[in-house]
Amino acid sequence: MLNFNKNICYAVFGNPINHSKSPKIHNFFFKKYNFNEKYIRICASKQFFLKEILNFFENGGKGANITLPFKEKVFSICTVLTKRAQISGSINTLKKNNIGIIGDNTDGIGLLTDLKYKNLISKNDNILILGAGGAARGIIYPLLKFGCNIYITNRTIQKAKILSKEFLKFGYIKYLKLNQLHKNKFQIIINATSAGISDHSSLVIPSNIFNQKTICYDMFYGNTDTNFMKLCKNLGSKKVYNGIGMLVNQAAHSFFLWTDIFPKINDVFNFLKK
Ligand code: ATR
């Protein structure tokens, strides 16, 4: 069992977790808004992560973020779900209150806020999502609601099929096999596979779906370009982004759930660059 210091009230749980910038962002917010709380990262055991999260909340934890590979697996410890967590089937934020544990998903709204802020997205855009796991689940609903058409492909195509069926009631969504991709035009391609983190991608994307204007967005990030970003640049795209903007925006929405304060985010980017 993990032992927690008294003012460690917030944490991100994942495995692996060393890459996470969430502690930096949230500790920045807590300091800025004069909270005497700490946010740490916890590498949870793949077998006992539910127990570890419950242990955290029993020992003074007030809120948590959940990341790879647990986002679809924490439902059983939630007492209440927000609508966006319910619809997405994926949870990235937990909050403890006197009723129990609230499960929320701020990934989708975080991504959409960033795409809008960067002026990258328009209604009716065709968006290709690579991947059909928890990360993909979290972003589909807000993109559909915004009015985009979603195409989804995945190494295991059956999972893309299931996901597209599930979200059909919210808008235009279709799954495509790799050999069908070239028949479509995509304004935005989003990497929602965990390939960059674990190993190299075995999802071989046809090069002819990229052009200079294709917006390529990796939901993940690193200190340098991710494998997906390198690939997109090599294939000619001039508009390639990592997921830092999404990360900061989803964090802001989580912080709001925990504290009722929506933090200003502009100065966080400068802080992260340092
Ligand atoms: P998460 O819930 O965080 O999204 P996940 O459910 O394990 O994690 O899903 C990870 C996604 O990345 C899946 O779409 C997975 O493809 P499969 O469904 O075929 O497993 C994809 N993925 C992981 N490693 C990959 C790799 N090396 N190449 C291509 N796709 C990969």
Side-chain angles (χ1 to χ4, degrees):
M1 281 288 143
L2 299 157
N3 287 315
F4 299 105
N5 175 308
K6 253 192 190 163
N7 62 352
I8 293 176
C9 301
Y10 296 87
V12 56
F13 290 82
N15 187 340
I17 198 64
N18 275 343
H19 66 285
S20 176
K21 292 197 194 301
S22 292
K24 265 195 162 181
I25 299 170
H26 283 291
N27 286 321
F28 181 88
F29 289 156
F30 283 127
K31 200 168 164 200
K32 181 170 172 157
Y33 293 96
N34 297 318
F35 286 87
N36 187 23
E37 324 253 21
K38 281 266 169 304
Y39 183 115
I40 59 167
R41 59 168 79 87
I42 295 174
C43 186
S45 112
K46 289 197 175 156
Q47 205 182 347
F48 299 113
F49 67 97
L50 287 178
K51 271 193 183 161
E52 289 173 7
I53 297 171
L54 286 172
N55 175 42
F56 172 72
F57 282 118
E58 278 157 17
N59 285 281
K62 295 180 184 171
N65 286 124
I66 305 299
T67 188
L68 259 138
F70 306 124
K71 289 185 180 187
E72 291 163 276
K73 298 170 187 142
V74 288
F75 280 83
S76 61
I77 61 166
C78 294
T79 328
V80 191
L81 296 175
T82 61
K83 188 178 171 196
R84 52 196 186 195
Q86 229 164 11
I87 291 175
S88 66
S90 163
I91 288 175
N92 79 327
T93 308
L94 299 172
K95 176 185 176 169
K96 171 104 183 272
N97 67 9
N98 48 8
I99 305 167
I101 296 174
I102 304 171
D104 192 8
N105 188 309
T106 65
D107 283 331
I109 186 75
L111 172 70
L112 184 60
T113 311
D114 191 44
L115 288 171
K116 281 189 198 164
Y117 176 77
K118 293 189 165 93
N119 231 341
L120 300 176
I121 192 169
S122 307
K123 221 177 150 188
N124 297 321
D125 273 353
N126 291 339
I127 301 183
L128 173 65
I129 297 177
L130 313 175
R137 278 186 165 280
I139 61 168
I140 294 173
Y141 175 65
L143 295 175
L144 284 175
K145 226 179 142 208
F146 185 73
C148 295
N149 307 313
I150 302 291
Y151 298 82
I152 182 158
T153 193
N154 193 39
R155 179 174 63 178
T156 314
I157 199 67
Q158 194 58 21
K159 276 169 75 181
K161 188 176 176 181
I162 292 168
L163 214 51
S164 59
K165 261 193 174 172
E166 195 179 320
F167 284 88
L168 201 54
K169 53 182 175 286
F170 301 113
Y172 185 94
I173 179 163
K174 200 173 167 186
Y175 76 96
L176 294 173
K177 293 180 186 160
L178 284 175
N179 62 9
Q180 297 172 311
L181 294 181
H182 68 279
K183 294 179 191 155
N184 298 272
K185 269 212 158 78
F186 307 107
Q187 282 74 43
I188 306 178
I189 300 177
I190 298 176
N191 177 39
T193 73
S194 53
I197 292 184
S198 51
D199 45 53
H200 286 278
S201 180
S202 44
L203 194 67
V204 181
I205 309 297
S207 57
N208 54 3
I209 64 166
F210 291 85
N211 63 47
Q212 286 197 358
K213 286 186 189 156
T214 312
I215 291 158
C216 301
Y217 194 106
D218 197 336
M219 287 179 63
F220 301 97
Y221 56 83
N223 291 328
T224 54
D225 280 0
T226 62
N227 291 333
F228 174 72
M229 291 168 74
K230 283 182 202 156
L231 173 83
C232 299
K233 285 183 179 175
N234 283 339
L235 294 176
S237 173
K238 299 271 183 238
K239 296 181 173 182
V240 180
Y241 302 86
N242 69 17
I244 285 288
M246 172 181 172
L247 176 82
V248 169
N249 278 290
Q250 65 78 28
H253 284 271
S254 296
F255 190 81
F256 178 63
L257 180 78
W258 296 329
T259 63
D260 284 332
I261 294 169
F262 198 89
K264 289 209 171 100
I265 60 167
N266 284 352
D267 43 359
V268 181
F269 292 107
N270 291 333
F271 173 70
L272 287 176
K273 269 185 207 150
K274 285 182 206 164

